[in-house]
Amino acid sequence: GVKFPLGSYATSDNGFQNLYPGTGSVDGLGMLNFVQRLKGKMTIQSDASYSVKTANSSGFKFGNSFLSSMQLTHYLSIKGNRLLYAAGAFYEHFDKSISTKSDLGLNNNSGYTVGIRLNANYLTQRWLVTTQINIPVLQSLNSGNVKSNGAIQLGIHYLLKTNVK
């Protein structure tokens, strides 16, 4: 896929590039997904994505990134709804970001994280409620100057239904 610069972004002399909603660049994204059903209500799921980033008009280029995960998933039927829960591992690698117009101390801003991922999803006819917990186990971010303490994501989605005949 291709991502286009539609939102605001920081100029190249701004040290807070990551706090803006957009990058200001055209980026390419490739993704692979694999799902294999195992015995009963178990599946193994794996995904990998790679993002190639270009420089924005201010001369700032975020580093390319590679993300991958694998997890074992189990599902239950509960009164016509589905509960899916999973446990697995993830790997994230970020290349160095660079600025062609200013030196923002970007010498050591690459790195990786390896960790444990836990998911739970509850699906009804119209709603999907999701949660995901990422727990870093091994990491090297910005030459050890930054430490990730993990993340919790929550989502509530309303599902639009159409009648297809």
Side-chain angles (χ1 to χ4, degrees):
V2 179
K3 180 196 76 70
F4 295 99
L6 300 175
S8 62
Y9 62 95
T11 58
S12 65
D13 60 346
N14 189 317
F16 299 102
Q17 298 281 335
N18 292 352
L19 299 180
Y20 278 75
T23 61
S25 64
V26 176
D27 302 334
L29 176 68
M31 177 179 266
L32 296 172
N33 291 299
F34 172 78
V35 177
Q36 175 65 48
R37 187 173 188 152
L38 303 174
K39 290 185 177 185
K41 298 179 179 182
M42 303 284 287
T43 59
I44 190 163
Q45 299 177 337
S46 181
D47 62 79
S49 67
Y50 190 78
S51 180
V52 177
K53 300 177 175 96
T54 64
N56 62 26
S57 62
S58 292
F60 191 87
K61 179 188 176 295
F62 286 91
N64 297 341
S65 59
F66 173 75
L67 311 171
S68 180
S69 70
M70 182 177 284
Q71 56 196 17
L72 188 61
T73 302
H74 185 264
Y75 75 89
L76 298 172
S77 294
I78 303 172
K79 296 181 182 180
N81 301 320
R82 291 179 62 177
L83 173 65
L84 294 94
Y85 52 95
F90 70 91
Y91 172 75
E92 301 173 337
H93 176 85
F94 304 96
D95 289 340
K96 178 180 173 181
S97 296
I98 58 172
S99 177
T100 59
K101 296 185 178 179
S102 69
D103 181 16
L104 296 172
L106 301 174
N107 297 329
N108 300 315
N109 64 359
S110 61
Y112 66 88
T113 305
V114 178
I116 297 167
R117 177 168 289 157
L118 305 171
N119 303 51
N121 302 306
Y122 188 71
L123 179 64
T124 70
Q125 294 296 316
R126 292 279 192 185
W127 293 93
L128 171 62
V129 179
T130 65
T131 184
Q132 178 174 291
I133 301 171
N134 292 337
I135 305 166
V137 175
L138 181 64
Q139 60 184 306
S140 176
L141 301 169
N142 293 14
S143 299
N145 294 319
V146 173
K147 181 180 178 187
S148 174
N149 291 322
I152 297 174
Q153 299 173 359
L154 302 172
I156 299 175
H157 310 272
Y158 181 76
L159 307 174
L160 299 175
K161 225 177 193 180
T162 59
N163 293 330
V164 178
K165 295 182 182 192

